[in-house]
Amino acid sequence: MPAAATPNEGGSRFFGWFRRAAKSGMDALPMHLPVRLGGADIAQTRAAPVRVAGFDQPLVWVTIALLMWGLVMVFSASIAMGDNPRFNRAGYSESYHLIRHAISLVFAFVAGLVAFQVPMRTWERTAPWLFVVALLLLVIVLIPHVGINVNGARRWLPLGFMRFQPSELAKLAMVFYAASYMVRKMEIKERFFRAVLPMGVAVVVVGMLLLAEPDMGAFMVIAIIAMGILFLGGVNARMFFLIAMLVVVAFATMVAASPWRRERIFAYLDPFSEEHALGKGYQLSHSLIAIGRGEIFGVGLGGSVEKLHWLPEAHTDFLLAVIGEELGLVGVLVAIALFLWLTRRIMHIGRQAIALDRVFAGLAAQGVGVWMGFQTFINMGVNLGALPTKGLTLPLMSFGGSAILMNVVALAVVLRVDYENRVLMRGGRV
């Protein structure tokens, strides 16, 4: 057996190898270094390449799951609408809403891919202009014979392939504008009049335009987005609670000054009473009946009775009630869990961006989280009878082309924030 080499001999071999490699150039370097253990020369294994995903894959899959689930439930909730003479005259068929919803998903997917390619610094530069565009569209939709009037509300613009709702763009525009505003006002965020008042004026202007449609639900979401970003951006807690009190007083005043809004509140308190069961409490009472029929495991996919012309707007505002009837408590809990995970993950991505000193990107992502979380909370609360009836769709699931479009674009922006976070953490530049 050969004698074991002494430590000095092992060191000489190593440095001799290193000098020869340096002379012959780096191309001659082997892919591994020789190591001597126990008197025998062995080689280290090749370093396996580290694979880092370019974006948050679980977030993508949860989003796709909600979109596909929504497509199935929209078809189930709207399949009987063609049997109604009122809708039959309009040319609705069993698959009318399914086809339109599928087309909306295709447009949303393309728009999401485009939005993902836009760097966050570009969104930051264009945030004020996007806000101005949203304001102009909110004005245009109020012009007679331009905006489409449905059930007394003028909220949609005809785009041929879909009816576009400017209030959905206004939500995304407010996310970007509020995040950009907080970055610009970071130095004076402790001063109420210089930091908060201009933002309050912007929210009031948007609110006046939305209430003229009228669309109080969208106004509530936009106000909460602005307040949430102000709070997350570091506005003084006392000022934040003062703003919150003013917002609550403003909404209470609007409800008190509007007879039909007051009726909705009273109907919410007792939807099954003789006075409200066939009036303002009709939707809520049938939503509760649908959820009650579902019990634990539901009556089965497609087996809902309430969607057969009993529950109005079953495929939009009250989609969760159909889920509750057909898939039961289990289906409702799964939906709640998915949206809870989605919101939590979005907020985590925003915090990560702020930790990397990317304040605009972080606040924009968290603004999307506030938007998705709050709107989901309101929609589910209305369907379950925990909140007064309000016309807000369930994000990513309810029928509505412009809502789906802007939801997917907003989540694509969050994925862009996460992508740039990962690039920076790997030592790259964005």
Side-chain angles (χ1 to χ4, degrees), residues 1 8 133 146 158 164 190 240 243 259 275 282 290 349 367 392 407:
M1 293 179 61
N8 287 337
V133 170
V146 176
F164 184 74
E190 296 293 330
F240 174 78
I243 298 168
E275 182 182 358
Y282 183 81
I349 290 172
L392 284 174
N407 289 166

Side-chain angles (χ1 to χ4, degrees), residues 16 19-20 50 112 121 157 172 218 253 259 267 272 283 289 316 359:
R19 283 194 297 271
R20 289 194 302 274
V50 179
R121 62 178 180 272
L157 291 173
L172 183 63
T253 302
F272 291 100
Q283 280 181 303
I289 291 171
T316 55
V359 179

